[in-house]
Amino acid sequence: MVNITVVGTGYVGLVTGACLSDFGNRVVCVDNDPKKLETLGRGEIPFYEPGLKELVEMNRTRNRLSFSGDIAASVSSADVVFIAVGTPPDEQGHADLKYVREVAAAIAEHMDGYTIVVTKSTVPTGTGSLVDSILRERRPEADFDVVSNPEFLREGSAIGDFMRPDRVVIGASSERAMDVMEKVYRPLYLLRTPIMRTTVANAEMIKYASNAFLALKISYINEIANVCDAVGADVTVVARAMGLDGRISPKFLHAGPGYGGSCFPKDTLALTHIAEKAGYRFRTLEAVLEVNRLQQMRMVDKAKSLLGSLENKVIAVLGVTFKPSTDDVRDAPSLTILPELQRQGATIRAHDPVVSALPGVDNVTWCSDAYDAARGADCVLLLTEWNEYRDLDFEKLGATMRDKTFLDCRNIYNPRDMKQHGFRHVGVGRSFEASAPWAMDDVLIRESSDSIPAPETVSDRRS
Ligand code: UDX
Ligand code: UDX
């Protein structure tokens, strides 16, 4: 058993703390926000993540997980301190390391005996050395090591990702630190999870390189979709066949309204800056950023071409989070698409299973469900593929609409079915004209998708 302190109980910190305590470690999660601590103290989770509440509760009952505002006591009793505070982009898009620096300084002040300081937040290559120099400067005599252990958690399936990862990356500055980290992740060693033992700088780069590659894959398939639209091909079929090539893999090949969330937009931008600062221009990644911005606007253009003009049109938006099974709207495509629809004269009625407000987006009528949103609408615009939108009753939906048009930004409905239901339908790189009755096997594609948990998986985690 290792004594661990996790500083920062945001999304990453809390999932990390809860899972590491479940591995058998003794974990204290520290935060400087008293309101957050009060919420956690009541057994509530400040955000939506399937299964997390139960995991926290169970490990608190076993006395392996606790919360505290006292960084001094928590750090001095820890063998390993994880830094999991936010690294938001500053005005130029560089990862802002202010909180990481502050926390490193506080750790320096209070660490007692051999301590391993781990960066869990996504930080540019070189941050490990920065943390090392902050600690060394303040405590030249102290016995410590700095480790980088990046997270690869997807919101909505973070616990599964932590407990059954494809790999664990540990960048350490000594064999001694590596051995302690091995103990921290002992259950995963026993499960033969590949553990990359590497340097701090490599570990930091692996995180950015992985996220940027996934973003590139999404932008690539989005552009293939746009070409499919132009030449009359179906991107869901193209992507499926591409994915059957083991070198490509079917994951992250779903065309849509562009990626969002707390990681891809921030990390892709940060990596272009890291490269630039080092004297290298990362051209493919610059294109990824541009393609993603244009892809969001393309959804507005699609609505416009379906409806002729957006002036005085009512649009029913289904789903506003950046993906299903989360209440997170950070950098969600909805934040740019909805205001642009409004700017062009449309009125928005919206529904989302867990969100009923969007920061900076006003004049939206929030509705009780998809059918309520569709009342009097000229178009349904499906933006997030929540399970509850996967089996809509189209008779009921269309009955109260002013015009039966459907813009399926996640390609979850088959164009041929939609035509049968009497809807004018447009997808992303997918249309009635490009589909064929002998190729209606798209359901299989969605089920094998890794970005979309199957319904039973979600409810399992909740129970
Ligand atoms: C994380 C990672 O930090 C980021 O690098 C990654 O790429 C995405 O997710 P997240 O967990 O979502 O960020 O951050 P946030 O929700 O901002 O949580 C940070 C927590 O740290 C907050 O609860 C905040 O109160 C706390 N904090 C911040 C401290 O306890 N001390 C500080 O000095 C600063
Ligand atoms: C991501 C990474 O997957 C994770 O490893 C990392 O540590 C944090 O960032 P997350 O942001 O939670 O996780 O979500 P993810 O499932 O990766 O989706 C990101 C965005 O890409 C979403 O907006 C999603 O809709 C979009 N996406 C994903 C697509 O448009 N198409 C796909 O095929 C997959």
Side-chain angles (χ1 to χ4, degrees), residues 338-360:
L338 269 61
E340 183 58 22
L341 291 168
Q342 290 175 327
R343 202 188 61 76
Q344 296 196 28
T347 302
I348 310 285
R349 294 172 65 79
H351 172 259
D352 186 283
V354 296
V355 168
S356 56
L358 274 179

Side-chain angles (χ1 to χ4, degrees), residues 151-155 207 252 254 260 263 322-323 410:
E151 51 87 15
F152 299 98
L153 310 174
R154 287 162 307 168
E155 295 188 16
K207 167 69 194 229
F252 282 68
H254 298 286
C263 287
F322 79 100
K323 66 175 204 175
R410 298 289 182 169

Side-chain angles (χ1 to χ4, degrees), residues 33 50 108 145 148 211 336 384 432:
D33 179 350
D145 269 306
S148 164
N211 271 1
T336 50
T384 314
F432 176 78

Side-chain angles (χ1 to χ4, degrees), residues 93 205 208-209 212 266-276 282 285:
M205 195 60 202
Y208 277 108
K266 170 169 78 72
D267 294 350
T268 44
L269 187 60
L271 186 51
T272 59
H273 288 304
I274 292 167
E276 195 182 303
F282 200 150
L285 199 51

Side-chain angles (χ1 to χ4, degrees), residues 60-249:
R60 281 181 77 182
T61 318
R62 290 175 178 161
N63 289 323
R64 294 204 297 227
L65 177 65
S66 58
F67 299 104
S68 167
D70 185 354
I71 193 163
S74 320
V75 166
S76 63
S77 62
D79 306 314
V80 180
V81 182
F82 282 82
I83 304 179
V85 292
T87 51
D90 64 16
E91 275 163 25
Q92 286 89 42
H94 300 272
D96 187 346
L97 297 178
K98 190 173 102 190
Y99 301 124
V100 173
R101 274 199 218 96
E102 282 172 15
V103 170
I107 295 171
E109 211 164 300
H110 303 296
M111 61 188 178
D112 189 8
Y114 178 59
T115 309
I116 298 174
V117 180
V118 187
T119 50
K120 195 74 182 161
S121 306
T122 302
V123 289
T125 308
T127 308
S129 320
L130 173 76
V131 170
D132 191 89
S133 61
I134 293 174
L135 297 169
R136 186 64 61 209
E137 207 172 276
R138 288 170 189 251
R139 293 283 299 280
E141 84 302 343
D143 191 11
F144 69 88
D145 269 306
V146 171
V147 163
S148 164
N149 173 216
E151 51 87 15
F152 299 98
L153 310 174
R154 287 162 307 168
E155 295 188 16
S157 53
I159 293 168
D161 287 349
F162 201 101
M163 302 287 194
R164 291 175 296 281
D166 289 341
R167 80 308 205 184
V168 172
V169 176
I170 301 174
S173 43
S174 78
E175 189 73 33
R176 186 181 177 197
M178 202 58 96
D179 291 343
V180 177
M181 291 305 288
E182 200 162 313
K183 278 197 200 126
V184 168
Y185 282 103
R186 194 172 153 69
L188 296 185
Y189 273 84
L190 298 178
L191 285 172
R192 298 185 185 279
T193 305
I195 313 269
M196 283 286 303
R197 296 163 66 106
T198 185
T199 64
V200 173
N202 282 346
E204 290 168 342
M205 195 60 202
I206 287 166
K207 167 69 194 229
Y208 277 108
S210 304
N211 271 1
F213 184 76
L214 293 170
L216 170 87
K217 209 173 167 189
I218 297 167
S219 281
Y220 181 81
I221 202 66
N222 283 340
E223 287 213 283
I224 292 288
N226 300 341
V227 178
C228 283
D229 271 338
V231 301
D234 184 334
V235 73
T236 62
V237 178
V238 174
R240 177 150 197 237
M242 283 170 67
L244 291 172
D245 183 330
R247 294 169 300 176
I248 297 176
S249 121

